[in-house]
Amino acid sequence: MTQPRVVVGAAVMAGDKVLAAARSYPPELAGLWEFPGGKVEPGETEAEALRRECREELGVEIEVGERVGDDLVTGDGKFLVRIYLAEVRSGEPRAVEHSRLRWLTVAEFDDVAWLPGNRQFLDSLRELLTEP
C-alpha cells in the first residue's frame, strides 16, 4: 500500500481569531470552509509547504507554529492531514484562490460549513483559544 500524501493546513491566528477560507473549487467542495494550505511537494518540509501555500493562496508570509490536534487520514487513505498554528508576518490575507475569507472567534466556529477533514481540528483550536 502506498503512503498517504501529506496535506498541511494553516490555522492562521490573529489575537483570538482564526482565518477560515471558503473553497471556490472543485464544484462538490465549493462554499465549504477550510484552513488554507495544500499538499507537501517532494523535497519540501511541512513548514515550507505551508509558507508556499499561504503565499500562493493568501498573498502573505507566515510564521509556522506548533501542530494542532492529531493526524487525520482521509480520502480512503490517500491523504494525511496536519494542521499547524501560524501567524501573518507580512501582508494582508486576501482571497486569491478562495471565494471568501473570514476571521472567526471560537464562538463563530459553527457559523460556517467546514470541510469534514478540517472540522475535527476545531475542538483542539477551541481549547488553545480559551486557555486562561
Tab-separated table of all heavy atoms in Angstrom, residues 44-94:
chain	number	residue	atom	x	y	z
A	44	GLU	N	10.078	19.126	0.069
A	44	GLU	CA	9.643	20.222	0.933
A	44	GLU	C	9.395	19.712	2.342
A	44	GLU	O	8.894	18.609	2.516
A	44	GLU	CB	8.287	20.759	0.438
A	44	GLU	CG	8.311	21.994	-0.328
A	44	GLU	CD	6.902	22.497	-0.683
A	44	GLU	OE1	5.914	21.731	-0.699
A	44	GLU	OE2	6.813	23.676	-0.976
A	45	THR	N	9.676	20.550	3.343
A	45	THR	CA	9.218	20.229	4.694
A	45	THR	C	7.765	20.670	4.798
A	45	THR	O	7.275	21.432	3.950
A	45	THR	CB	10.056	20.964	5.769
A	45	THR	OG1	9.787	22.374	5.659
A	45	THR	CG2	11.539	20.679	5.637
A	46	GLU	N	7.087	20.228	5.845
A	46	GLU	CA	5.700	20.646	6.029
A	46	GLU	C	5.606	22.156	6.220
A	46	GLU	O	4.721	22.808	5.679
A	46	GLU	CB	5.081	19.875	7.198
A	46	GLU	CG	4.929	18.403	6.861
A	46	GLU	CD	4.393	17.549	7.989
A	46	GLU	OE1	3.898	18.090	8.994
A	46	GLU	OE2	4.468	16.309	7.860
A	47	ALA	N	6.554	22.737	6.968
A	47	ALA	CA	6.550	24.189	7.195
A	47	ALA	C	6.800	24.948	5.889
A	47	ALA	O	6.146	25.967	5.617
A	47	ALA	CB	7.591	24.566	8.247
A	48	GLU	N	7.709	24.450	5.061
A	48	GLU	CA	7.975	25.100	3.771
A	48	GLU	C	6.730	25.055	2.888
A	48	GLU	O	6.395	26.040	2.214
A	48	GLU	CB	9.147	24.412	3.051
A	48	GLU	CG	10.495	24.692	3.674
A	48	GLU	CD	11.599	23.774	3.149
A	48	GLU	OE1	11.316	22.721	2.524
A	48	GLU	OE2	12.774	24.115	3.386
A	49	ALA	N	6.040	23.923	2.890
A	49	ALA	CA	4.817	23.791	2.091
A	49	ALA	C	3.759	24.782	2.567
A	49	ALA	O	3.092	25.433	1.753
A	49	ALA	CB	4.277	22.368	2.172
A	50	LEU	N	3.613	24.920	3.872
A	50	LEU	CA	2.624	25.866	4.409
A	50	LEU	C	2.958	27.300	4.027
A	50	LEU	O	2.068	28.064	3.654
A	50	LEU	CB	2.570	25.763	5.938
A	50	LEU	CG	1.463	24.912	6.503
A	50	LEU	CD1	1.443	25.016	8.018
A	50	LEU	CD2	0.117	25.279	5.938
A	51	ARG	N	4.236	27.658	4.142
A	51	ARG	CA	4.625	29.024	3.763
A	51	ARG	C	4.348	29.266	2.281
A	51	ARG	O	3.819	30.313	1.897
A	51	ARG	CB	6.096	29.280	4.112
A	51	ARG	CG	6.311	29.443	5.616
A	51	ARG	CD	7.692	29.979	5.957
A	51	ARG	NE	8.750	28.998	5.739
A	51	ARG	CZ	9.165	28.125	6.662
A	51	ARG	NH1	8.616	28.105	7.867
A	51	ARG	NH2	10.137	27.278	6.378
A	52	ARG	N	4.689	28.284	1.431
A	52	ARG	CA	4.432	28.425	-0.011
A	52	ARG	C	2.935	28.538	-0.298
A	52	ARG	O	2.494	29.416	-1.042
A	52	ARG	CB	5.018	27.210	-0.771
A	52	ARG	CG	4.689	27.228	-2.266
A	52	ARG	CD	5.219	25.991	-2.984
A	52	ARG	NE	4.863	24.730	-2.365
A	52	ARG	CZ	3.646	24.158	-2.424
A	52	ARG	NH1	2.656	24.743	-3.073
A	52	ARG	NH2	3.416	22.993	-1.844
A	53	GLU	N	2.156	27.653	0.302
A	53	GLU	CA	0.704	27.667	0.064
A	53	GLU	C	0.070	28.987	0.514
A	53	GLU	O	-0.805	29.517	-0.164
A	53	GLU	CB	0.027	26.485	0.771
A	53	GLU	CG	0.343	25.132	0.150
A	53	GLU	CD	-0.397	24.861	-1.154
A	53	GLU	OE1	-1.267	25.655	-1.554
A	53	GLU	OE2	-0.089	23.834	-1.788
A	54	CYS	N	0.509	29.525	1.651
A	54	CYS	CA	-0.068	30.788	2.134
A	54	CYS	C	0.343	31.966	1.253
A	54	CYS	O	-0.439	32.896	1.070
A	54	CYS	CB	0.288	31.024	3.599
A	54	CYS	SG	-0.679	29.963	4.708
A	55	ARG	N	1.552	31.898	0.673
A	55	ARG	CA	1.946	32.928	-0.311
A	55	ARG	C	1.030	32.844	-1.526
A	55	ARG	O	0.525	33.853	-2.013
A	55	ARG	CB	3.394	32.730	-0.759
A	55	ARG	CG	4.425	33.435	0.087
A	55	ARG	CD	5.800	33.473	-0.572
A	55	ARG	NE	6.352	32.159	-0.862
A	55	ARG	CZ	7.042	31.412	0.006
A	55	ARG	NH1	7.282	31.846	1.227
A	55	ARG	NH2	7.497	30.228	-0.347
A	56	GLU	N	0.811	31.604	-2.028
A	56	GLU	CA	0.007	31.415	-3.232
A	56	GLU	C	-1.479	31.700	-2.999
A	56	GLU	O	-2.124	32.339	-3.830
A	56	GLU	CB	0.153	29.971	-3.738
A	56	GLU	CG	1.532	29.628	-4.250
A	56	GLU	CD	1.720	28.141	-4.549
A	56	GLU	OE1	0.766	27.349	-4.374
A	56	GLU	OE2	2.837	27.774	-4.936
A	57	GLU	N	-2.020	31.208	-1.879
A	57	GLU	CA	-3.471	31.288	-1.650
A	57	GLU	C	-3.922	32.584	-0.985
A	57	GLU	O	-5.066	33.000	-1.160
A	57	GLU	CB	-3.932	30.117	-0.773
A	57	GLU	CG	-3.809	28.776	-1.441
A	57	GLU	CD	-4.348	27.639	-0.583
A	57	GLU	OE1	-4.936	27.898	0.478
A	57	GLU	OE2	-4.173	26.480	-0.989
A	58	LEU	N	-3.041	33.198	-0.184
A	58	LEU	CA	-3.444	34.365	0.611
A	58	LEU	C	-2.621	35.614	0.340
A	58	LEU	O	-2.968	36.701	0.788
A	58	LEU	CB	-3.346	34.049	2.111
A	58	LEU	CG	-4.129	32.839	2.622
A	58	LEU	CD1	-3.773	32.562	4.071
A	58	LEU	CD2	-5.622	33.069	2.456
A	59	GLY	N	-1.472	35.443	-0.318
A	59	GLY	CA	-0.597	36.581	-0.576
A	59	GLY	C	0.104	37.096	0.665
A	59	GLY	O	0.397	38.287	0.761
A	60	VAL	N	0.372	36.199	1.635
A	60	VAL	CA	1.025	36.611	2.883
A	60	VAL	C	2.220	35.713	3.194
A	60	VAL	O	2.311	34.590	2.713
A	60	VAL	CB	0.057	36.575	4.094
A	60	VAL	CG1	-1.073	37.560	3.909
A	60	VAL	CG2	-0.476	35.169	4.347
A	61	GLU	N	3.129	36.255	3.999
A	61	GLU	CA	4.214	35.474	4.577
A	61	GLU	C	3.794	35.104	5.994
A	61	GLU	O	3.303	35.966	6.732
A	61	GLU	CB	5.513	36.287	4.616
A	61	GLU	CG	6.072	36.614	3.244
A	61	GLU	CD	6.498	35.395	2.444
A	61	GLU	OE1	6.966	34.393	3.046
A	61	GLU	OE2	6.358	35.432	1.205
A	62	ILE	N	3.978	33.840	6.358
A	62	ILE	CA	3.578	33.390	7.692
A	62	ILE	C	4.756	32.826	8.459
A	62	ILE	O	5.766	32.436	7.876
A	62	ILE	CB	2.466	32.308	7.630
A	62	ILE	CG1	2.967	31.062	6.882
A	62	ILE	CG2	1.184	32.866	7.022
A	62	ILE	CD1	2.141	29.816	7.122
A	63	GLU	N	4.572	32.793	9.766
A	63	GLU	CA	5.475	32.050	10.647
A	63	GLU	C	4.687	30.833	11.116
A	63	GLU	O	3.568	30.964	11.614
A	63	GLU	CB	5.887	32.899	11.838
A	63	GLU	CG	6.842	32.176	12.760
A	63	GLU	CD	7.353	33.090	13.856
A	63	GLU	OE1	7.792	34.205	13.542
A	63	GLU	OE2	7.280	32.671	15.033
A	64	VAL	N	5.270	29.651	10.932
A	64	VAL	CA	4.590	28.402	11.285
A	64	VAL	C	4.902	28.048	12.728
A	64	VAL	O	6.054	28.073	13.149
A	64	VAL	CB	5.026	27.256	10.342
A	64	VAL	CG1	4.342	25.950	10.717
A	64	VAL	CG2	4.729	27.624	8.885
A	65	GLY	N	3.856	27.713	13.486
A	65	GLY	CA	3.997	27.339	14.884
A	65	GLY	C	3.782	25.847	15.103
A	65	GLY	O	4.079	25.025	14.233
A	66	GLU	N	3.214	25.521	16.272
A	66	GLU	CA	3.032	24.113	16.661
A	66	GLU	C	1.880	23.453	15.919
A	66	GLU	O	1.000	24.116	15.401
A	66	GLU	CB	2.709	23.972	18.159
A	66	GLU	CG	3.179	25.020	19.036
A	66	GLU	CD	2.638	24.888	20.468
A	66	GLU	OE1	1.780	24.040	20.780
A	66	GLU	OE2	3.107	25.665	21.269
A	67	ARG	N	1.924	22.118	15.943
A	67	ARG	CA	0.822	21.324	15.385
A	67	ARG	C	-0.419	21.484	16.250
A	67	ARG	O	-0.339	21.683	17.447
A	67	ARG	CB	1.215	19.841	15.374
A	67	ARG	CG	2.285	19.467	14.386
A	67	ARG	CD	1.760	18.877	13.101
A	67	ARG	NE	0.753	17.869	13.260
A	67	ARG	CZ	1.011	16.573	13.421
A	67	ARG	NH1	2.239	16.133	13.457
A	67	ARG	NH2	0.020	15.716	13.529
A	68	VAL	N	-1.569	21.333	15.617
A	68	VAL	CA	-2.861	21.381	16.292
A	68	VAL	C	-3.534	20.028	16.113
A	68	VAL	O	-3.673	19.555	14.988
A	68	VAL	CB	-3.772	22.471	15.673
A	68	VAL	CG1	-5.152	22.434	16.292
A	68	VAL	CG2	-3.148	23.844	15.808
A	69	GLY	N	-3.954	19.408	17.211
A	69	GLY	CA	-4.691	18.149	17.105
A	69	GLY	C	-3.844	16.995	16.600
A	69	GLY	O	-2.619	17.065	16.541
A	70	ASP	N	-4.535	15.928	16.237
A	70	ASP	CA	-3.894	14.696	15.770
A	70	ASP	C	-3.949	14.605	14.252
A	70	ASP	O	-4.730	15.300	13.604
A	70	ASP	CB	-4.612	13.476	16.367
A	70	ASP	CG	-4.531	13.452	17.884
A	70	ASP	OD1	-3.453	13.767	18.419
A	70	ASP	OD2	-5.550	13.117	18.523
A	71	ASP	N	-3.141	13.704	13.693
A	71	ASP	CA	-3.196	13.435	12.259
A	71	ASP	C	-4.587	12.943	11.877
A	71	ASP	O	-5.255	12.269	12.664
A	71	ASP	CB	-2.204	12.328	11.880
A	71	ASP	CG	-0.751	12.774	11.954
A	71	ASP	OD1	-0.491	13.974	12.166
A	71	ASP	OD2	0.125	11.913	11.792
A	72	LEU	N	-4.992	13.264	10.664
A	72	LEU	CA	-6.257	12.765	10.134
A	72	LEU	C	-5.976	12.109	8.785
A	72	LEU	O	-5.424	12.743	7.891
A	72	LEU	CB	-7.250	13.916	9.940
A	72	LEU	CG	-8.533	13.556	9.186
A	72	LEU	CD1	-9.399	12.617	10.012
A	72	LEU	CD2	-9.296	14.797	8.793
A	73	VAL	N	-6.320	10.822	8.670
A	73	VAL	CA	-6.199	10.134	7.390
A	73	VAL	C	-7.565	10.229	6.720
A	73	VAL	O	-8.593	9.913	7.319
A	73	VAL	CB	-5.758	8.668	7.577
A	73	VAL	CG1	-5.704	7.960	6.227
A	73	VAL	CG2	-4.403	8.603	8.264
A	74	THR	N	-7.577	10.695	5.463
A	74	THR	CA	-8.833	10.922	4.758
A	74	THR	C	-8.700	10.484	3.300
A	74	THR	O	-7.632	10.047	2.881
A	74	THR	CB	-9.246	12.418	4.881
A	74	THR	OG1	-10.537	12.593	4.323
A	74	THR	CG2	-8.270	13.335	4.199
A	75	GLY	N	-9.777	10.612	2.550
A	75	GLY	CA	-9.744	10.237	1.131
A	75	GLY	C	-9.438	8.771	0.927
A	75	GLY	O	-8.632	8.420	0.071
A	76	ASP	N	-10.057	7.901	1.740
A	76	ASP	CA	-9.817	6.454	1.655
A	76	ASP	C	-8.336	6.115	1.795
A	76	ASP	O	-7.801	5.272	1.076
A	76	ASP	CB	-10.369	5.875	0.346
A	76	ASP	CG	-11.884	5.927	0.278
A	76	ASP	OD1	-12.533	5.760	1.329
A	76	ASP	OD2	-12.417	6.138	-0.826
A	77	GLY	N	-7.661	6.825	2.709
A	77	GLY	CA	-6.262	6.546	2.991
A	77	GLY	C	-5.277	7.240	2.076
A	77	GLY	O	-4.069	7.049	2.191
A	78	LYS	N	-5.777	8.091	1.164
A	78	LYS	CA	-4.890	8.771	0.214
A	78	LYS	C	-4.170	9.975	0.822
A	78	LYS	O	-3.109	10.362	0.350
A	78	LYS	CB	-5.679	9.255	-1.003
A	78	LYS	CG	-6.161	8.147	-1.896
A	78	LYS	CD	-6.810	8.747	-3.142
A	78	LYS	CE	-7.535	7.679	-3.917
A	78	LYS	NZ	-8.897	8.015	-4.239
A	79	PHE	N	-4.789	10.604	1.847
A	79	PHE	CA	-4.239	11.846	2.386
A	79	PHE	C	-4.075	11.786	3.896
A	79	PHE	O	-4.905	11.207	4.601
A	79	PHE	CB	-5.144	13.037	2.031
A	79	PHE	CG	-5.335	13.213	0.564
A	79	PHE	CD1	-6.535	12.873	-0.031
A	79	PHE	CD2	-4.316	13.704	-0.243
A	79	PHE	CE1	-6.729	13.015	-1.396
A	79	PHE	CE2	-4.496	13.853	-1.613
A	79	PHE	CZ	-5.700	13.505	-2.187
A	80	LEU	N	-3.008	12.404	4.375
A	80	LEU	CA	-2.747	12.572	5.799
A	80	LEU	C	-2.758	14.076	6.058
A	80	LEU	O	-1.909	14.797	5.540
A	80	LEU	CB	-1.384	11.978	6.161
A	80	LEU	CG	-0.912	12.205	7.592
A	80	LEU	CD1	-1.780	11.427	8.563
A	80	LEU	CD2	0.536	11.785	7.730
A	81	VAL	N	-3.760	14.550	6.813
A	81	VAL	CA	-3.934	15.984	7.043
A	81	VAL	C	-3.320	16.374	8.384
A	81	VAL	O	-3.572	15.720	9.403
A	81	VAL	CB	-5.438	16.368	7.031
A	81	VAL	CG1	-5.616	17.857	7.279
A	81	VAL	CG2	-6.079	15.956	5.711
A	82	ARG	N	-2.527	17.439	8.366
A	82	ARG	CA	-1.934	18.007	9.579
A	82	ARG	C	-2.163	19.511	9.564
A	82	ARG	O	-1.941	20.165	8.540
A	82	ARG	CB	-0.431	17.724	9.628
A	82	ARG	CG	-0.134	16.256	9.808
A	82	ARG	CD	1.346	16.008	9.909
A	82	ARG	NE	1.567	14.612	10.276
A	82	ARG	CZ	2.581	13.883	9.833
A	82	ARG	NH1	3.488	14.425	9.036
A	82	ARG	NH2	2.716	12.631	10.203
A	83	ILE	N	-2.588	20.034	10.709
A	83	ILE	CA	-2.852	21.470	10.837
A	83	ILE	C	-1.820	22.075	11.786
A	83	ILE	O	-1.504	21.486	12.824
A	83	ILE	CB	-4.285	21.724	11.375
A	83	ILE	CG1	-5.342	21.064	10.475
A	83	ILE	CG2	-4.548	23.227	11.535
A	83	ILE	CD1	-5.459	21.603	9.082
A	84	TYR	N	-1.329	23.253	11.432
A	84	TYR	CA	-0.353	23.985	12.237
A	84	TYR	C	-0.873	25.370	12.568
A	84	TYR	O	-1.542	25.999	11.747
A	84	TYR	CB	0.961	24.161	11.463
A	84	TYR	CG	1.765	22.905	11.292
A	84	TYR	CD1	1.491	22.011	10.268
A	84	TYR	CD2	2.804	22.604	12.154
A	84	TYR	CE1	2.234	20.852	10.099
A	84	TYR	CE2	3.564	21.450	12.001
A	84	TYR	CZ	3.269	20.580	10.971
A	84	TYR	OH	4.008	19.440	10.816
A	85	LEU	N	-0.536	25.844	13.773
A	85	LEU	CA	-0.781	27.239	14.087
A	85	LEU	C	0.137	28.086	13.223
A	85	LEU	O	1.244	27.665	12.876
A	85	LEU	CB	-0.482	27.531	15.560
A	85	LEU	CG	-1.397	26.871	16.592
A	85	LEU	CD1	-0.915	27.214	17.999
A	85	LEU	CD2	-2.834	27.297	16.393
A	86	ALA	N	-0.309	29.288	12.875
A	86	ALA	CA	0.518	30.192	12.079
A	86	ALA	C	0.115	31.633	12.395
A	86	ALA	O	-0.993	31.880	12.881
A	86	ALA	CB	0.340	29.914	10.592
A	87	GLU	N	1.045	32.534	12.128
A	87	GLU	CA	0.767	33.966	12.267
A	87	GLU	C	1.263	34.667	11.016
A	87	GLU	O	2.286	34.288	10.455
A	87	GLU	CB	1.495	34.550	13.479
A	87	GLU	CG	0.900	34.172	14.802
A	87	GLU	CD	1.585	34.882	15.965
A	87	GLU	OE1	2.366	35.828	15.724
A	87	GLU	OE2	1.341	34.471	17.097
A	88	VAL	N	0.538	35.707	10.601
A	88	VAL	CA	0.958	36.502	9.449
A	88	VAL	C	2.152	37.347	9.860
A	88	VAL	O	2.112	38.024	10.887
A	88	VAL	CB	-0.192	37.400	8.947
A	88	VAL	CG1	0.298	38.332	7.847
A	88	VAL	CG2	-1.361	36.560	8.463
A	89	ARG	N	3.216	37.287	9.084
A	89	ARG	CA	4.420	38.092	9.334
A	89	ARG	C	4.438	39.318	8.434
A	89	ARG	O	4.960	40.348	8.802
A	89	ARG	CB	5.691	37.259	9.129
A	89	ARG	CG	5.952	36.325	10.271
A	89	ARG	CD	6.326	37.134	11.511
A	89	ARG	NE	6.194	36.334	12.713
A	89	ARG	CZ	5.505	36.689	13.786
A	89	ARG	NH1	4.842	37.820	13.813
A	89	ARG	NH2	5.453	35.930	14.837
A	90	SER	N	3.921	39.188	7.206
A	90	SER	CA	3.830	40.353	6.328
A	90	SER	C	2.715	40.127	5.316
A	90	SER	O	2.437	39.001	4.915
A	90	SER	CB	5.160	40.622	5.619
A	90	SER	OG	5.459	39.606	4.700
A	91	GLY	N	2.075	41.233	4.960
A	91	GLY	CA	0.975	41.184	4.006
A	91	GLY	C	-0.372	41.140	4.717
A	91	GLY	O	-0.447	41.003	5.936
A	92	GLU	N	-1.410	41.292	3.940
A	92	GLU	CA	-2.788	41.242	4.427
A	92	GLU	C	-3.475	40.112	3.672
A	92	GLU	O	-3.482	40.121	2.437
A	92	GLU	CB	-3.472	42.578	4.152
A	92	GLU	CG	-4.798	42.763	4.851
A	92	GLU	CD	-4.693	42.773	6.365
A	92	GLU	OE1	-3.720	43.330	6.911
A	92	GLU	OE2	-5.600	42.204	7.012
A	93	PRO	N	-4.027	39.110	4.391
A	93	PRO	CA	-4.648	37.977	3.682
A	93	PRO	C	-5.733	38.432	2.703
A	93	PRO	O	-6.556	39.283	3.038
A	93	PRO	CB	-5.258	37.132	4.803
A	93	PRO	CG	-4.507	37.515	6.026
A	93	PRO	CD	-4.135	38.961	5.844
A	94	ARG	N	-5.670	37.878	1.511
A	94	ARG	CA	-6.721	38.137	0.531
A	94	ARG	C	-7.086	36.819	-0.155
A	94	ARG	O	-6.253	35.919	-0.243
A	94	ARG	CB	-6.301	39.211	-0.467
A	94	ARG	CG	-5.104	38.897	-1.294
A	94	ARG	CD	-4.652	40.112	-2.131
A	94	ARG	NE	-3.727	39.722	-3.159
A	94	ARG	CZ	-2.440	39.468	-2.960
A	94	ARG	NH1	-1.922	39.560	-1.754
A	94	ARG	NH2	-1.659	39.094	-3.962
